[in-house]
Amino acid sequence: MAKPPPAEEDSAALRRRLRRSLAAVAAGGATGDVFDEAASALEALREAELGTGGRKGCGGEGRRPAVVEEGEKEVVTVPPHFLCPISSRIMSDPVIVASGQTYDRRFIEEWFSAGNRLCPQTHQALLDTTLIPNHLVRSMILQWCTENRFNLPPVESQEENNVTNSDQKTFDEIFTKITSSPKSTEMRQAIKDLRLITKQNSDFRAVLEERPDSISRMIFARSTPGLQNDPQVLEDMVTIILNFSLHDSNKKVIGDDPEAIPFLIWALKSGDMGSRGNSAAAIFTLSALDSNKEKIGELGAMGPLVDLLADGNIIAKKDAASAIFNLCLLHENKSRATKNGIVDVAMRAIDDQLLVDGSLAILALLSSNHEVVEMITKFDGTACMLRAIRESECSRSKENAVVVLFAICMFNRLKLKEVEADEKINSSLALLAQTGTSRARRKAVGILEKMKRSMHNRHMSC
């Protein structure tokens, strides 16, 4: 077997990947796959530089897991990678800095405000102090908090309304052409112009707060002859909504617009691949709010998202998987995903080695339901999860696979024999019990103990 490249070479390549992703995000209008790529590069870089033996912290000391206690509840240990390296507290609003490290927004902003321009962990000089929301880490923290009944402190809004009179004037000029021009060619060009400016100018997006009916008015303008059946106009409008949704304060504005979410769902069903993928990305961004999760689920987005995960291109699949995962953090949406065939689609994606990480994350989130576990089992889920534990290079995917496998063994004890036979050959669970994440170790140990009791009972009955 070929030896892996040296850590230094890995780190250099990963830093280049991360810089490219951060540059795309900083430019504005990045789709969900760009955030996924940044998060993936960040996790791989962390593994390459820090390994599994610990994490570098400020001053070179490793970060210890935080122990928190809520009232009379059981003491809970927070996973180390959910802690801010500056405060050692669980992160409410994780953000990525130019060095690729993740911090809680409040504390890294205080660090920068004090005049510091070095990364607290790597001591790398930061020429750019742009902060990129780490949606992936936040989603994982929210999932952990839900599972452990831990109340995450609310995120304080850090986004200021920096819209200028010039921005307002520019928006009004463009929007007048979109809604009032007698010429479809002029309307089409104005729509393109709005897509471009909302991508390039993040401050400009704040205009929507002062003109909350703009999305509905733009959608109605699409009924103009010459625009109604133009796929490019549809993609441009969907992307405008996506770009506006990246401004935190706009998430509620768009969610409260009676036309916006139904329009995105319609585009998700009827548009070309560009429109469908950007609709999924917009839904993912909007689903950061629980109130939007509920609306999106009730209005029927889950079916088209599952269809996109099944038949989209790789970028669209990533956006669909991110949206489905986020929506399923709301309990009511889990049953919607199940009824729309998410288990079938996710299992096939894993078998085809397409979007394995995202599919495992979704299945782990749903695996507390007996019906879901039965479906996974019918798709040869035991062998599939054991293979993922053995072969995946991502610690989070190994964790999700063993979470699903634990649920299978809980609901179908006959599968313990299959796991036992594999363990005798590969010792995958024993290794994971020593080297996995905190949650992965607990689940692996739990399965091993069940196997031990099962063998003991068989021995006693002989």
PDB file of all heavy atoms in Angstrom, residues 90 92 138 150-155:
ATOM      1  N   ILE A  90     -18.502  26.546  24.709  1.00  0.00           N
ATOM      2  CA  ILE A  90     -19.167  26.056  23.509  1.00  0.00           C
ATOM      3  C   ILE A  90     -19.527  27.242  22.617  1.00  0.00           C
ATOM      4  O   ILE A  90     -19.951  28.296  23.095  1.00  0.00           O
ATOM      5  CB  ILE A  90     -20.416  25.218  23.864  1.00  0.00           C
ATOM      6  CG1 ILE A  90     -20.964  24.516  22.614  1.00  0.00           C
ATOM      7  CG2 ILE A  90     -21.485  26.057  24.541  1.00  0.00           C
ATOM      8  CD1 ILE A  90     -21.997  23.453  22.939  1.00  0.00           C
ATOM      9  N   SER A  92     -21.484  29.585  20.146  1.00  0.00           N
ATOM     10  CA  SER A  92     -22.845  29.912  19.727  1.00  0.00           C
ATOM     11  C   SER A  92     -22.889  30.334  18.267  1.00  0.00           C
ATOM     12  O   SER A  92     -23.859  30.080  17.562  1.00  0.00           O
ATOM     13  CB  SER A  92     -23.411  31.050  20.591  1.00  0.00           C
ATOM     14  OG  SER A  92     -23.494  30.680  21.929  1.00  0.00           O
ATOM     15  N   ARG A 138     -21.802  24.806  13.158  1.00  0.00           N
ATOM     16  CA  ARG A 138     -22.980  25.236  13.924  1.00  0.00           C
ATOM     17  C   ARG A 138     -24.085  24.183  13.876  1.00  0.00           C
ATOM     18  O   ARG A 138     -24.728  23.897  14.887  1.00  0.00           O
ATOM     19  CB  ARG A 138     -23.497  26.576  13.426  1.00  0.00           C
ATOM     20  CG  ARG A 138     -24.769  27.010  14.169  1.00  0.00           C
ATOM     21  CD  ARG A 138     -25.060  28.489  14.060  1.00  0.00           C
ATOM     22  NE  ARG A 138     -26.372  28.811  14.599  1.00  0.00           N
ATOM     23  CZ  ARG A 138     -26.657  28.926  15.886  1.00  0.00           C
ATOM     24  NH1 ARG A 138     -25.711  28.730  16.782  1.00  0.00           N
ATOM     25  NH2 ARG A 138     -27.878  29.229  16.287  1.00  0.00           N
ATOM     26  N   PHE A 150     -29.053  20.310  25.944  1.00  0.00           N
ATOM     27  CA  PHE A 150     -28.243  21.424  26.424  1.00  0.00           C
ATOM     28  C   PHE A 150     -28.697  22.693  25.720  1.00  0.00           C
ATOM     29  O   PHE A 150     -28.831  22.728  24.493  1.00  0.00           O
ATOM     30  CB  PHE A 150     -26.763  21.158  26.130  1.00  0.00           C
ATOM     31  CG  PHE A 150     -25.856  22.302  26.519  1.00  0.00           C
ATOM     32  CD1 PHE A 150     -25.627  22.581  27.849  1.00  0.00           C
ATOM     33  CD2 PHE A 150     -25.257  23.087  25.550  1.00  0.00           C
ATOM     34  CE1 PHE A 150     -24.788  23.631  28.212  1.00  0.00           C
ATOM     35  CE2 PHE A 150     -24.421  24.140  25.898  1.00  0.00           C
ATOM     36  CZ  PHE A 150     -24.194  24.410  27.240  1.00  0.00           C
ATOM     37  N   ASN A 151     -28.958  23.736  26.491  1.00  0.00           N
ATOM     38  CA  ASN A 151     -29.430  24.999  25.927  1.00  0.00           C
ATOM     39  C   ASN A 151     -28.253  25.844  25.469  1.00  0.00           C
ATOM     40  O   ASN A 151     -27.472  26.337  26.287  1.00  0.00           O
ATOM     41  CB  ASN A 151     -30.253  25.775  26.966  1.00  0.00           C
ATOM     42  CG  ASN A 151     -31.552  25.073  27.301  1.00  0.00           C
ATOM     43  OD1 ASN A 151     -32.176  24.464  26.437  1.00  0.00           O
ATOM     44  ND2 ASN A 151     -31.963  25.142  28.561  1.00  0.00           N
ATOM     45  N   LEU A 152     -28.132  25.999  24.165  1.00  0.00           N
ATOM     46  CA  LEU A 152     -27.067  26.826  23.615  1.00  0.00           C
ATOM     47  C   LEU A 152     -27.422  28.293  23.801  1.00  0.00           C
ATOM     48  O   LEU A 152     -28.543  28.705  23.513  1.00  0.00           O
ATOM     49  CB  LEU A 152     -26.897  26.529  22.127  1.00  0.00           C
ATOM     50  CG  LEU A 152     -25.718  27.177  21.409  1.00  0.00           C
ATOM     51  CD1 LEU A 152     -24.405  26.600  21.932  1.00  0.00           C
ATOM     52  CD2 LEU A 152     -25.830  26.962  19.902  1.00  0.00           C
ATOM     53  N   PRO A 153     -26.481  29.114  24.291  1.00  0.00           N
ATOM     54  CA  PRO A 153     -26.775  30.547  24.438  1.00  0.00           C
ATOM     55  C   PRO A 153     -27.168  31.144  23.096  1.00  0.00           C
ATOM     56  O   PRO A 153     -26.609  30.774  22.058  1.00  0.00           O
ATOM     57  CB  PRO A 153     -25.436  31.129  24.931  1.00  0.00           C
ATOM     58  CG  PRO A 153     -24.719  29.973  25.545  1.00  0.00           C
ATOM     59  CD  PRO A 153     -25.133  28.770  24.763  1.00  0.00           C
ATOM     60  N   PRO A 154     -28.156  32.060  23.072  1.00  0.00           N
ATOM     61  CA  PRO A 154     -28.592  32.638  21.803  1.00  0.00           C
ATOM     62  C   PRO A 154     -27.487  33.447  21.143  1.00  0.00           C
ATOM     63  O   PRO A 154     -26.625  34.016  21.814  1.00  0.00           O
ATOM     64  CB  PRO A 154     -29.771  33.537  22.203  1.00  0.00           C
ATOM     65  CG  PRO A 154     -29.523  33.866  23.644  1.00  0.00           C
ATOM     66  CD  PRO A 154     -28.862  32.639  24.223  1.00  0.00           C
ATOM     67  N   VAL A 155     -27.539  33.475  19.807  1.00  0.00           N
ATOM     68  CA  VAL A 155     -26.561  34.249  19.046  1.00  0.00           C
ATOM     69  C   VAL A 155     -26.976  35.704  19.045  1.00  0.00           C
ATOM     70  O   VAL A 155     -28.117  36.042  18.713  1.00  0.00           O
ATOM     71  CB  VAL A 155     -26.476  33.744  17.592  1.00  0.00           C
ATOM     72  CG1 VAL A 155     -25.507  34.598  16.788  1.00  0.00           C
ATOM     73  CG2 VAL A 155     -26.063  32.283  17.567  1.00  0.00           C
TER      74      VAL A 155
END
